Amino acid sequence: MRRSSVFYVGLLILGACLVAASFFFDNEEFKAVSGTLIGIGAGSAGLSVSNLLMIRAARKNPGHEKQIRIDYHDERNTLIRNRAKAKAGDITQWLVMAIAYITILISAPLWVTMAVVAVFLIYNFMSHYLIFLYQKNM
């Protein structure tokens, strides 16, 4: 869903403010807060700039924007997109397990390993539930 350019300009300003606010937390105790503010601020600023450039390009060439919208809703492209997402999910599943093994090898705290394993299990339970749901409905 594309929002208006006013939304992205506001998000860009908010991102810049978050990055600027991170400099007030230069104490060692608040290093995590500073890093979080920089991450959120830089992410929202990058997202805003990207979407503002896309909105600008769409205004310059409305025919191209319409073709992109048609291609996005095309049945074949939807099938390709869903198949790619499923394959990426399969690959990500094994990457999550690799991260779990890495946390064991580097002697990370147990809760980190358990959190990664929990993500793996949630993914598998969700995929089996969705398979059951789709088989029931289709």
Side-chain angles (χ1 to χ4, degrees), residues 22-95:
S22 70
F23 293 116
F24 293 111
F25 295 103
D26 58 350
N27 195 356
E28 190 66 30
E29 296 173 3
F30 298 111
K31 195 172 185 177
V33 174
S34 175
T36 303
L37 288 175
I38 289 174
I40 293 172
S44 41
L47 174 79
S48 300
V49 168
S50 170
N51 281 313
L52 285 171
L53 290 174
M54 287 175 42
I55 289 171
R56 182 175 175 229
R59 283 186 186 153
K60 283 188 173 182
N61 193 354
H64 183 66
E65 174 72 15
K66 185 177 179 182
Q67 184 62 40
I68 288 173
R69 195 175 315 127
I70 290 170
D71 287 345
Y72 182 79
H73 294 291
D74 182 46
E75 186 176 335
R76 180 179 173 270
N77 289 335
T78 302
L79 182 68
I80 290 171
R81 212 173 24 251
N82 289 338
R83 192 170 182 178
K85 286 178 186 176
K87 193 67 176 177
D90 287 343
I91 294 170
T92 303
Q93 169 189 359
W94 297 112
L95 288 176

Side-chain angles (χ1 to χ4, degrees), residues 1 6 15 22 30 34-35 52 63 76 89-90 102 104 122 129 131:
M1 182 171 77
V6 174
S22 70
F30 298 111
S34 175
L52 285 171
R76 180 179 173 270
D90 287 343
I102 289 172
I104 292 170
I122 289 170
Y129 172 73
I131 288 171

